Amino acid sequence: MRAASARAVLRRADWCMADTVLFELLHTEMVAELWAPDPDPGPGGQKTSLSVLESMGFRVGQALGERLPQETLGFREELEVLKFLCKDLWVAVFHKQMDSLRTNHQGTYVLQDNSFPLLVPMASGRQYVEEAPKFLAFTCGLLCGALGTLGFQSLVTASVTALPACKFQVVIRKP
Amino acid sequence: MSRPVPRRPEYHKINRDLLVLTYGALVAQLCKDYEKDEDVNKYLDKMGYGIGTRLVEDFLARSCVRRCHSYSEITHIIAEMNVLFPLPPTCPVTGRDCVDAPAFATAPFIHIFQASSHKNQPQVLLILLQSQQVAFKMYLGVTPSVTCNNSSKNEFSLILDKNPLSEFVEELPAGRSSLCYCNLLCGIIRGALEMVHLAVDVMFLQDRLKGDSVTEIGITFLKQPEKKKYRRRK
């Protein structure tokens, strides 16, 4: 089964582990430095800053996707791919599975993570909800990039109502 | 009564490729934003500094910090840590003997040497460098070798055979010959040591990406200006 072999690849020892703290701090520093509110915010001002982080995440997602074995790149069904992201990719990257996946079976998927590792150290509850989106931009890009390598064009957005839970909305674009 | 702090999950590991690829994307973005290599290097150092000042807290928290009242207590804790993070006795690349010391140390000694007036004593600095070996192992999964570069024993080097952050980089981009790709590490070391009240100069002495055989990070401990003692006038 393709999914099983992909899982085996992701778990093998070659995928060395590093400490999550260093990545968390690097990510926080990137958000602090690369997300700077535009002094003259035009209508697209804030969006531009977020998209720098998204494009970086996209590159990383693509690169991670390229390191998957060839069999996985042959996934045909959308749902199979999204399940792969939620279970295997999320485990490989964040050491935990996505908590829930919902879909309307028309190309829109909502992935929910109840304790997203990059939000866990920040706060618990409704504090900093306005600040949270910039900490999710990189990961949205990552999901988008990984989906791209797997053959699906998508638009990924994130929303937070109470930290550290967050939802990623994935809309698969039809060719 | 203080509120109990919510416990973090036990020392999460993530895929190292994620860290390495993210770092690569960061350097690529900075190269787009800044034309001069010196500016990119400076920016990486600044970001590293910010990371280092916070990373050291995590390191101290995880290195069984207790206030030690004697060197024998320190030796005992060192022995415990030695079991968790064993280090090689000689540098696998240059063959140079790694700096001779009873064992490597971690945070506990910092309490003693902060109180001591002999902060810059060579033995203490040696032990400090070896705690950095532990930190590299903890956070990046590699152990650098430590060597001492001068007879006054305030210049040391960390030698990395394999630099994990540049694992996927074959060569520096064209026109970027003086880019210090891993300058973030220099900033991290500088920031971390500043939080334990040590001023240092950190720079790359050798870089595999520039054609050298190893990656060598040089650390120079700067002398702190002595505090003047004021006498009370009778």
Side-chain angles (χ1 to χ4, degrees):
Chain A
M1 300 280 279
R2 272 191 303 236
S5 71
R7 244 172 274 140
V9 166
L10 291 172
R11 258 193 241 128
R12 72 180 181 209
D14 292 348
W15 284 61
C16 300
M17 298 312 228
D19 206 275
T20 204
V21 169
L22 186 53
F23 176 75
E24 280 171 15
L25 290 176
L26 177 64
H27 180 260
T28 308
E29 203 60 39
M30 274 165 36
V31 169
E33 297 291 337
L34 297 174
W35 187 88
D38 224 330
D40 271 327
Q46 190 163 338
K47 268 193 214 155
T48 323
S49 309
L50 272 180
S51 74
V52 166
L53 290 166
E54 274 175 355
S55 63
M56 284 173 63
F58 189 86
R59 285 178 72 141
V60 174
Q62 271 187 321
L64 277 175
E66 278 161 18
R67 291 173 65 73
L68 292 170
Q70 286 301 311
E71 307 91 75
T72 33
L73 301 181
F75 276 135
R76 291 279 171 262
E77 287 183 28
E78 268 177 25
L79 191 57
E80 228 177 284
V81 172
L82 267 296
K83 279 186 185 167
F84 173 75
L85 285 189
C86 292
K87 286 189 187 164
D88 305 297
L89 193 77
W90 218 243
V91 166
V93 172
F94 293 116
H95 223 67
K96 68 182 287 283
Q97 284 191 12
M98 194 73 80
D99 292 302
S100 86
L101 169 67
R102 292 201 306 266
T103 177
N104 64 358
H105 296 286
Q106 282 168 19
T108 303
Y109 298 84
V110 176
L111 289 66
Q112 179 156 344
D113 192 330
N114 292 329
S115 64
F116 186 54
L118 298 179
L119 291 180
V120 163
M122 275 176 65
S124 189
R126 307 187 81 83
Q127 204 181 11
Y128 303 124
V129 163
E130 301 88 43
E131 317 287 320
K134 57 188 178 187
F135 288 89
L136 297 172
F138 180 84
T139 314
C140 288
L142 191 114
L143 280 168
C144 210
L147 278 166
T149 325
L150 292 166
F152 294 90
Q153 301 300 312
S154 59
L155 181 67
V156 183
T157 50
S159 64
V160 183
T161 40
L163 278 74
C166 63
K167 289 186 189 164
F168 296 95
Q169 184 175 4
V170 178
V171 178
I172 304 288
R173 284 188 186 145
K174 298 299 174 196
Chain B
M1 296 290 258
S2 59
R3 218 160 22 118
V5 174
R7 282 198 65 171
R8 288 189 64 198
E10 271 308 308
Y11 310 137
H12 257 157
K13 295 289 182 190
I14 48 143
N15 191 309
R16 193 167 80 185
D17 286 353
L18 176 66
L19 177 70
V20 174
L21 291 168
T22 305
Y23 185 70
L26 171 67
V27 177
Q29 183 63 40
L30 292 178
C31 286
K32 255 198 245 173
D33 293 341
Y34 298 99
E35 271 187 35
K36 288 195 193 158
D37 292 346
E38 298 81 54
D39 291 336
V40 179
N41 293 340
K42 227 176 11 181
Y43 208 84
L44 283 171
D45 186 80
K46 179 182 155 207
M47 286 181 71
Y49 181 84
I51 293 173
T53 54
R54 276 168 270 156
L55 195 66
V56 71
E57 285 177 30
D58 181 75
F59 178 66
L60 292 178
R62 286 157 64 170
S63 314
C64 345
V65 173
R66 325 199 266 268
R67 185 159 270 275
C68 295
H69 299 287
S70 68
Y71 279 106
S72 64
E73 266 193 67
I74 297 179
T75 319
H76 184 65
I77 293 170
I78 288 168
E80 284 174 36
M81 289 299 284
N82 207 3
V83 171
L84 293 172
F85 299 106
L87 301 176
T90 49
C91 174
V93 178
T94 61
R96 288 186 241 173
D97 282 340
C98 286
V99 185
D100 179 50
F104 59 88
T106 58
F109 82 90
I110 289 172
H111 284 293
I112 292 243
F113 92 21
Q114 272 180 333
S116 140
S117 54
H118 301 297
K119 247 186 262 196
N120 284 329
Q121 260 191 1
Q123 297 91 326
V124 174
L125 296 180
L126 238 56
I127 296 173
L128 178 63
L129 261 295
Q130 287 173 317
S131 73
Q132 290 189 30
Q133 284 182 299
V134 178
F136 263 83
K137 176 77 178 170
M138 219 191 255
Y139 295 113
L140 289 173
V142 289
T143 308
S145 320
V146 173
T147 57
C148 183
N149 293 344
N150 69 349
S151 52
S152 49
K153 297 208 186 287
N154 68 330
E155 285 178 24
F156 296 85
S157 288
L158 290 169
I159 298 173
L160 284 162
D161 178 28
K162 269 196 217 174
N163 186 348
L165 287 182
S166 57
E167 200 177 315
F168 302 131
V169 183
E170 285 173 7
E171 56 180 14
L172 291 175
R176 292 280 183 187
S177 52
S178 40
L179 176 69
C180 290
Y181 184 82
C182 296
N183 221 32
L184 195 92
L185 291 176
C186 294
I188 292 180
I189 294 171
R190 192 169 59 90
L193 290 176
E194 197 165 300
M195 293 308 281
V196 291
H197 310 297
L198 281 170
V200 287
D201 245 339
V202 189
M203 62 180 84
F204 276 92
L205 299 177
Q206 291 191 79
D207 194 343
R208 259 200 146 160
L209 289 175
K210 294 181 180 165
D212 298 311
S213 55
V214 291
T215 303
E216 187 175 346
I217 301 174
I219 301 174
T220 307
F221 289 90
L222 306 170
K223 254 207 157 134
Q224 308 267 20
E226 281 199 24
K227 288 188 188 154
K228 278 191 177 171
K229 289 182 182 167
Y230 291 94
R231 276 198 187 158
R232 280 178 89 184
R233 280 193 185 171
K234 283 196 173 166

